[in-house]
Amino acid sequence: MGEVVGAGLIAHVPTIMLPKEVRMELNEGKDSTLVEGLERLRKDYFENDDYDTVVVLDSHWATTVEFVVTAHERRHGKFTSEELPRGMSGVPYDFIGDPELAKLMGEQAEKNGTWITPIDDEYLPIMYATINLWEYLGKGLPDKKWVSVSICQTATDEDFLRAGRAIGEAIAKSDRRVILLASGALSHTFYKLRDLRKHEMADPSHIFSDAARAADYERLDWFKAGDHAQVLETMPAFQKVRPEAMFGHWLMTAGAIGEEACTAPGVMYSEYENSIGTGQVHVWFPKPEGGFPAAKDVVLSRD
């Protein structure tokens, strides 16, 4: 029987891929804590043999009529970002996938009232919300499997939770020890082009609005306390400050680890930082004693 052995809300911002001297130039002579946090996460959790597969809930991969999960035996090539080719150009990647787990995710979809389709097309694009985290956490660890799951842009909070339950059930039916990475931000409103270069510093005073910063801090307090129920209950309020990808990356993670039944406290692996208006942070949820709660076992209609 498989299990989730760790989960994280992890920032993937393009600046982590820049040379250190450029990062420091953008940040008043200081480096981003996001980089050091990823390096610590790798040492503490990823450079060990306690897991088999990493599942990335990829907030940059938007699909429309279904959730999609990568089902490749191997993904390799070079990545250039369509969004920021100046900072991410020709980045090599090479990792094995987990088609068996991907197929299991698809098989749990109908029971949970949702749609998840495994795809192994060799030309399927890859996003930097996956690449940037693999660069820090997976590169040089060739036996670890990496899988990405899309964010369905027509989904509601409930749809994300349903997909997460299917993912959790698939993991339980497998023999895999899985790390879940919710790759994305908290609040996510950018400054406009002519203003954004005034707000490249990491200091949270540059977050787009006072309301967004306050909402982010509130949820970080709840995460640190293990109060996942409060995060879920207040999603309508949080949506008002436009979390990245409707916070689908985290909602799917929550669905896989028991939703409000989960009380695992989060550990900050970075400071809370700004990125041209958006709220970025690494919060890690170690496996609690006794494990994460199982995904809710409910049978739902797709209607």
Side-chain angles (χ1 to χ4, degrees):
M1 182 175 178
E3 64 172 333
V4 176
V5 296
L9 173 64
I10 308 295
H12 59 244
V13 288
T15 49
I16 66 175
M17 300 295 281
L18 296 173
K20 183 175 182 179
E21 58 270 21
V22 177
R23 298 196 304 262
M24 295 180 70
E25 182 180 341
L26 292 173
N27 194 33
E28 302 176 316
K30 297 175 288 185
D31 200 1
S32 166
T33 66
L34 298 173
V35 172
E36 187 269 340
L38 287 171
E39 292 170 346
R40 282 197 295 125
L41 266 176
R42 180 181 176 112
K43 181 178 179 181
D44 291 351
Y45 292 100
F46 287 79
E47 288 184 346
N48 61 46
D49 202 33
D50 296 337
Y51 70 100
D52 306 298
T53 302
V54 177
V55 174
V56 181
L57 296 313
D58 188 316
S59 63
H60 273 230
W61 183 14
T63 52
T64 304
V65 301
E66 62 199 344
F67 295 92
V68 175
V69 55
T70 57
H72 306 77
E73 292 283 354
R74 177 187 175 206
R75 300 198 82 183
H76 61 100
K78 291 186 178 181
F79 172 78
T80 294
S81 169
E82 85 290 354
E83 179 187 348
L84 193 63
R86 175 169 52 88
M88 287 174 282
S89 178
V91 179
Y93 62 93
D94 190 347
F95 53 84
I96 55 174
D98 196 337
E100 182 180 348
L101 182 59
K103 181 181 177 183
L104 278 171
M105 290 181 189
E107 290 172 352
Q108 315 314 309
E110 185 171 2
K111 179 255 187 186
N112 284 282
T114 192
W115 294 263
I116 301 175
T117 304
I119 295 290
D120 64 357
D121 188 320
E122 65 176 305
Y123 301 109
L124 186 70
I126 194 165
M127 304 297 164
Y128 73 73
T130 292
I131 289 290
N132 292 6
L133 298 192
W134 175 83
E135 177 77 15
Y136 277 92
L137 303 175
K139 187 175 182 179
L141 303 172
D143 60 325
K144 302 303 184 184
K145 303 175 177 70
W146 281 65
V147 167
S148 298
V149 180
S150 74
I151 300 293
C152 182
Q153 64 181 344
T154 56
T156 64
D157 292 353
E158 173 65 17
D159 290 315
F160 288 124
L161 292 172
R162 291 182 183 200
R165 292 169 197 155
I167 291 168
E169 289 183 358
I171 292 168
K173 290 184 176 184
S174 75
D175 62 357
R176 304 293 197 267
R177 299 163 299 169
V178 173
I179 288 175
L180 297 174
L181 295 181
S183 179
L186 292 162
S187 64
H188 198 259
T189 302
F190 295 120
Y191 286 95
K192 296 302 181 184
L193 179 61
R194 283 176 288 159
D195 288 328
L196 65 81
R197 285 167 177 78
K198 304 171 188 174
H199 300 283
E200 291 184 306
M201 290 72 76
D203 192 291
S205 64
H206 293 277
I207 295 294
F208 187 78
S209 70
D210 292 341
R213 182 171 51 251
D216 287 350
Y217 275 133
E218 192 172 44
R219 275 138 196 89
L220 286 175
D221 285 343
W222 293 332
F223 278 141
K224 287 185 283 187
D227 193 353
H228 300 269
Q230 190 73 0
V231 176
L232 293 170
E233 185 178 331
T234 59
M235 275 305 302
F238 194 39
Q239 294 290 7
K240 293 178 182 178
V241 298
R242 300 179 60 189
E244 185 166 21
M246 300 172 286
F247 219 37
H249 48 296
W250 177 254
L251 289 171
M252 284 194 284
T253 302
I257 57 175
E259 299 166 51
E260 68 275 5
C262 183
T263 57
V267 179
M268 296 281 283
Y269 264 77
S270 75
E271 296 176 12
Y272 170 66
E273 293 189 1
N274 163 71
S275 179
I276 55 174
T278 67
Q280 307 290 338
V281 73
H282 303 319
V283 187
W284 182 257
F285 300 91
K287 185 178 80 169
E289 187 175 348
F292 288 100
K296 285 184 178 179
D297 184 9
V298 290
V299 177
L300 297 168
S301 168
R302 286 171 167 169
D303 296 327

